[in-house]
Amino acid sequence: MGKLTLLSLLTASVAVIPMFAETVHVSTPKSSLILDAVKGEPLKFVYYGSALGDNDIKNITSTGGNTFNAYPVYGLWPEKEAAMSAVHADGNMTLDMAVADVKTMKEANGAEVTTVTMTDKVYPFYIDVNYRTYPGSDVIETWTVTSHDEKKPVKLTRFMSGYLPIRRSDVHVSQLYGSWANEGKVEEAPLPHNLKVIKNKDGARNSHTSHAEVMMSLDGKAQEQTGRVIGAALCYGGNYKLMFDTDDSDYHHFFAGINEENSSYNLKKGEKFETPALALTYSEEGLGGASRNFHKWGRDYRLANGDKLRKVLLNSWEGVYFDINEAGMTQMMKDIADMGGELFVMDDGWFGVKYPRNNDSTSLGDWTVDTTKLPHGIKGLCNTADGLGIKFGIWIEPEMTNSKSELYEKHPEYIVKAPNRDAVEGRGGTQLVLDLANPKVQDLVFNVVDTLMTNYPEIDYIKWDSNAPIMNHGSQYQTADNQSHLYIDYHKGLEKTLQRIREKYPDLTIQACASGGGRANWGILPYFDEFWVSDNTDALQRIYMQWGTSYFFPAIAMASHISASPNHQTNRIVPLKYRTDVAMSGRLGMEIQPKNMTDEEKEQTRKAIADYKKIRPIVQQGDIYRLLSPYDHKGAASLMYVSPDKKDAVYYWWKTEQFVNQQLPRVTMAGLDPDKLYTVTELNRVDNEPLPYEGKTFTGRFLMSNGLEMPLSHNVDWNKRNDYASRVLMLHSN
Ligand code: DGJ
């Protein structure tokens, strides 16, 4: 990887090897990316697809097809879309880049980075195009670093992370879209002519609406287990733009990067502008293969603590909302401990002295405990948790303040606000965003976490929320000519702060929450252990949301909670069994008032938590196989996780519709070892009789070619019948 090359100048294990090569081969176990890097010429993209050997690499340029500049720039032949455009210090709006050097270096975690340095033919303007690969991963990250030695700042007006020409055939793009409480919906469509743009302009968070990830199925309609797929994930927490430009030629032109709109960047001499990584993966095992590649790469190299199992928790939000008090917290902690949970998270409402946080209109920024609600403070709660043998976690929203807060009274200059205008206020009519471009604000945000952790080192988990977009374009910190830096510098500041936090507190579990699923992105996840998929906890709708989200993100990162019935968002009445069976397909937690649960429900949950602990390594570290899509509207949905050694699997089946005389498809399994014998055990059983195949063994071959019939309803007493059915089966082989 990152290793060449026909000229074979690379010797392993040397940290930085200056080399020059004509053909650059960036390789992963199952994929190759080939570039032509001739000194003095533009860098050419030659190939991205299945792994190639020397012979095919040698002959690839004779196979026909166009070659394109690997990182197209604007100015000469300007009618095409470009990955980068800039205005030089003297006003010249053109770039003309040529290869100057190719280097490969090894990083501490075994990753290899190949860097192609390009210089402008006339101006002292430089772009490094980088490609990173990791041992055992089929993902290639690409990004650029731009700098110059011109006398005055150069204005960057477009700065994509990467570009990829996609050969036309019948390319279908799958993307996620949605809104608050309706995140992660899947849409698939063939690529149209002209421009297809997927973008975000929220400023602070970026995945409620469109997502910064796509799957490109190259062979027509997307299939789960078969077909060539290129997956692309822009690893960036801020405004993004993904573009497919399709002209009347043989190619689609794909670009992905920071959204340049209203964000031109004045780059000073010697300063470096680094774009976020665009993660690419190629699979011949359909969407599922591409997802598994992203999940493995994410767990192994990107997600915070991706190798550690997550605790089963109870979060207080839907149980008590702002009604925080010591007795209530203690009762919830006792209940979750009693059901076998491992962690309790106190959500919003615990802070504020001058302005107590009783609703969403005050106090953000005043992170001092409200001792009228919690007389023994956080320490008291930590002690209670400790006594119960569970861990304690806490909610904060450190990037924000309210106009009704002590922080804002002291530091009105800290907020994002357009000059000469009143601040625009958000949630609760008073919420304001702190300007993270300002180093003082960065310190302040760091200190929110640092103070909590210094005072209460027992804190095991932080839910980091972010409930407002950037609501007016203006920085009180930036100079007048750098107002367009607002969005980019906000995220630079956020990242810097998160890096500091992670350096000091690597083991702290931190959840990225942003009014639900606003921060499901690989740019933010190196600093977070997981994200809150949605504020919508309705089990039926979660099947759709978690299905889509799993295209790019692994179950270990997807917080999935059992909540009340009727559900607080949809008012749907869903039995506990079904709510549990859905929540158990992600990082299981609870978001409910346990004191409203019956003893029978508590017992059911106690068993479910105990069983989840058994399957947790398979769910959280295994490979996903999506089997029957809820979007196909066949009346059911199904997926499974298989352990890497294929000894264990967990199979989920959820009925999504209820009609009399339904004919549901029998679902064939996937990902198993055909020759292994798997014993079937049903989890969360509510039926009076076990399933006919309970305790029986079947070969992986049979399960993958035939599957098991799922009864349409549960065999329970009449008074317990309802319109839901679901199954969780554990498969174990020796
Ligand atoms: C929005 C989050 O998405 C919720 O889960 C909850 O934490 C509230 N904020 C608290 O205000």
Side-chain angles (χ1 to χ4, degrees):
M1 337 171 236
K3 78 182 133 176
L4 172 84
T5 99
L6 289 182
L7 301 185
S8 300
L9 296 175
L10 177 66
T11 36
S13 79
V14 182
V16 179
I17 304 138
M19 66 174 193
F20 184 71
E22 288 198 350
T23 302
V24 177
H25 181 196
V26 182
S27 72
T28 74
K30 289 192 185 152
S31 72
S32 288
L33 189 141
I34 313 277
L35 304 160
D36 210 7
V38 178
K39 198 167 190 169
E41 298 289 327
L43 176 67
K44 292 286 181 188
F45 170 89
V46 179
Y47 170 88
Y48 181 47
S50 65
L52 299 185
D54 287 350
N55 182 70
D56 289 334
I57 294 174
K58 190 171 72 197
N59 295 327
I60 188 133
T61 48
S62 70
T63 59
N66 292 354
T67 56
F68 295 93
N69 287 353
Y71 192 72
V73 293
Y74 179 82
L76 308 179
W77 298 100
E79 79 285 11
K80 293 211 185 312
E81 290 295 338
M84 171 158 279
S85 57
V87 185
H88 293 283
D90 65 2
N92 187 331
M93 292 180 66
T94 64
L95 292 169
D96 189 10
M97 307 303 298
V99 171
D101 195 13
V102 181
K103 279 196 187 95
T104 296
M105 62 168 248
K106 253 197 165 93
E107 295 182 331
N109 60 359
E112 281 187 7
V113 177
T114 299
T115 301
V116 181
T117 298
M118 305 196 294
T119 59
D120 189 280
K121 288 186 181 162
V122 175
Y123 287 82
F125 183 91
Y126 321 106
I127 305 175
D128 283 352
V129 184
N130 301 292
Y131 300 89
R132 180 186 281 121
T133 56
Y134 300 91
S137 162
D138 273 308
V139 167
I140 297 173
E141 296 174 4
T142 182
W143 75 101
T144 61
V145 179
T146 301
S147 59
H148 70 88
D149 284 322
E150 299 184 26
K151 291 203 175 77
K152 288 195 190 137
V154 171
K155 185 195 282 280
L156 304 180
T157 48
R158 183 176 277 179
F159 21 73
M160 291 291 178
S161 294
Y163 158 75
L164 205 61
I166 311 281
R167 181 66 167 85
R168 282 174 70 171
S169 53
D170 184 14
V171 179
H172 282 228
V173 169
S174 306
Q175 66 178 96
L176 305 182
Y177 73 105
S179 54
W180 174 80
N182 190 23
E183 294 91 336
K185 283 203 287 189
V186 177
E187 184 176 69
E188 185 202 318
L191 273 176
H193 275 100
N194 225 311
L195 208 55
K196 176 184 170 78
V197 177
I198 299 171
K199 48 88 188 161
N200 179 273
K201 296 186 182 183
D202 179 286
R205 313 84 42 90
N206 69 7
S207 57
H208 279 121
T209 51
S210 300
H211 263 240
E213 306 89 27
V214 284
M215 295 286 194
M216 302 167 232
S217 300
L218 307 184
D219 304 311
K221 204 172 160 357
Q223 305 294 326
E224 270 298 333
Q225 318 295 352
T226 57
R228 298 174 304 151
V229 172
I230 293 175
L234 183 75
C235 307
Y236 188 58
N239 292 353
Y240 58 78
K241 190 181 264 185
L242 274 52
M243 297 195 305
F244 294 89
D245 186 23
T246 304
D247 52 19
D248 208 12
S249 75
D250 285 345
Y251 286 82
H252 306 282
H253 303 275
F254 174 65
F255 299 83
I258 296 177
N259 193 335
E260 77 283 2
E261 284 179 42
N262 299 308
S263 290
S264 56
Y265 208 89
N266 300 313
L267 192 68
K268 289 189 255 155
K269 179 178 174 170
E271 196 185 351
K272 285 189 189 322
F273 185 92
E274 180 165 343
T275 64
L278 168 65
L280 297 169
T281 193
Y282 173 82
S283 171
E284 297 188 347
E285 293 174 34
L287 294 174
S291 296
R292 290 188 288 279
N293 290 350
F294 277 131
H295 295 183
K296 182 166 165 38
W297 156 81
R299 282 191 308 256
D300 290 352
Y301 300 108
R302 212 151 175 109
L303 181 69
N305 300 307
D307 58 342
K308 297 201 182 79
L309 296 178
R310 308 307 196 233
K311 298 184 182 78
V312 177
L313 62 83
L314 169 67
N315 175 294
S316 66
W317 181 242
E318 286 195 17
V320 298
Y321 293 101
F322 289 102
D323 189 13
I324 298 281
N325 59 63
E326 199 168 282
M329 297 298 97
T330 303
Q331 164 253 312
M332 287 182 116
M333 284 194 266
K334 279 188 180 151
D335 283 329
I336 188 62
D338 179 55
M339 285 186 278
E342 298 154 314
L343 167 70
F344 173 72
V345 182
M346 177 170 65
D347 210 284
D348 202 348
W350 60 268
F351 52 93
V353 176
K354 180 171 173 191
Y355 301 108
R357 175 84 168 171
N358 296 324
N359 55 49
D360 62 7
S361 68
T362 66
S363 326
L364 296 174
D366 302 347
W367 302 108
T368 308
V369 67
D370 179 349
T371 45
T372 52
K373 294 178 184 174
L374 302 168
H376 298 94
I378 310 285
K379 192 85 196 162
L381 298 177
C382 290
N383 289 344
T384 306
D386 191 46
L388 291 164
I390 60 171
K391 299 285 182 190
F392 181 78
I394 198 163
W395 178 96
I396 51 173
E397 194 178 357
E399 296 156 77
M400 306 284 164
T401 188
N402 291 102
S403 49
K404 215 170 170 193
S405 72
E406 292 186 70
L407 174 67
Y408 182 67
E409 284 171 355
K410 241 187 268 155
H411 290 294
E413 78 282 11
Y414 280 0
I415 65 158
V416 168
K417 186 182 94 65
N420 307 319
R421 300 191 191 281
D422 289 341
V424 177
E425 295 170 285
R427 188 182 184 202
T430 57
Q431 186 153 336
L432 300 161
V433 182
L434 297 171
D435 186 355
L436 268 158
N438 184 341
K440 288 192 180 142
V441 172
Q442 294 166 19
D443 286 343
L444 179 105
V445 172
F446 172 79
N447 284 332
V448 174
V449 175
D450 195 38
T451 306
L452 275 174
M453 294 307 296
T454 307
N455 291 342
Y456 318 110
E458 305 89 336
I459 291 179
D460 187 70
Y461 178 107
I462 282 182
K463 174 172 173 177
W464 178 306
D465 212 341
S466 172
N467 291 304
I470 287 183
M471 296 167 288
N472 42 185
H473 191 142
S475 169
Q476 303 190 78
Y477 169 74
Q478 304 277 14
T479 53
D481 51 346
N482 283 343
Q483 288 293 306
S484 59
H485 291 198
L486 172 74
Y487 296 115
I488 292 174
D489 284 354
Y490 183 91
H491 285 277
K492 275 194 193 167
L494 176 62
E495 194 160 343
K496 222 166 130 187
T497 310
L498 289 166
Q499 261 160 14
R500 266 175 89 188
I501 291 171
R502 273 306 179 192
E503 268 160 33
K504 193 154 177 196
Y505 303 106
D507 300 328
L508 177 67
T509 304
I510 314 183
Q511 180 187 72
C513 175
S515 309
R519 278 194 169 154
N521 182 282
W522 282 116
I524 209 93
L525 287 175
Y527 312 107
F528 292 91
D529 302 66
E530 60 174 35
F531 57 87
W532 186 219
V533 175
S534 175
D535 272 349
N536 186 341
T537 55
D538 173 70
L540 184 62
Q541 201 169 342
R542 274 289 183 124
I543 291 175
Y544 290 81
M545 290 193 270
Q546 293 178 189
W547 184 274
T549 308
S550 80
Y551 274 33
F552 305 100
F553 302 99
I556 191 171
M558 287 166 44
S560 180
H561 295 179
I562 301 169
S563 63
S565 178
N567 178 268
H568 292 191
Q569 294 79 38
T570 60
N571 299 317
R572 206 190 313 272
I573 295 176
V574 180
L576 180 62
K577 152 84 176 151
Y578 195 88
R579 285 179 271 147
T580 307
D581 285 1
V582 173
M584 273 174 79
S585 68
R587 195 281 283 133
L588 175 67
M590 303 190 73
E591 180 121 358
I592 195 167
Q593 173 51 280
K595 80 173 178 202
N596 297 339
M597 295 168 76
T598 63
D599 286 347
E600 191 184 347
E601 285 176 328
K602 282 187 181 161
E603 181 52 26
Q604 207 175 314
T605 307
R606 192 173 295 119
K607 278 202 193 117
I609 291 177
D611 282 341
Y612 182 77
K613 288 178 185 168
K614 287 188 212 147
I615 60 170
R616 173 160 53 186
I618 313 166
V619 177
Q620 296 190 2
Q621 306 285 5
D623 290 320
I624 193 170
Y625 290 84
R626 288 180 298 261
L627 305 171
L628 179 61
S629 171
Y631 289 92
D632 288 345
H633 301 292
K634 295 265 167 55
S638 177
L639 57 78
M640 64 194 291
Y641 299 102
V642 182
S643 65
D645 62 7
K646 298 201 181 284
K647 274 187 161 176
D648 292 284
V650 195
Y651 169 89
Y652 296 85
W653 180 91
W654 309 282
K655 214 159 85 158
T656 51
E657 289 169 0
Q658 168 81 337
F659 295 104
V660 172
N661 273 354
Q662 270 175 297
Q663 282 91 45
L664 301 185
R666 186 175 59 215
V667 177
T668 52
M669 299 190 187
L672 300 172
D673 180 336
D675 298 321
K676 278 198 194 320
L677 273 180
Y678 294 92
T679 309
V680 179
T681 310
E682 184 183 8
L683 304 183
N684 301 342
R685 174 157 79 86
V686 290
D687 300 48
N688 292 336
E689 298 295 328
L691 289 165
Y693 38 76
E694 173 76 21
K696 303 233 158 59
T697 57
F698 301 90
T699 59
R701 183 172 290 106
F702 173 80
L703 295 170
M704 292 193 289
S705 66
N706 187 84
L708 299 170
E709 293 287 358
M710 298 294 126
L712 293 188
S713 53
H714 290 285
N715 173 7
V716 290
D717 297 346
W718 272 104
N719 62 343
K720 291 192 173 156
R721 296 235 161 151
N722 60 64
D723 48 349
Y724 284 85
S726 56
R727 303 281 166 181
V728 182
L729 305 181
M730 196 167 77
L731 306 176
H732 174 69
S733 72
N734 289 314

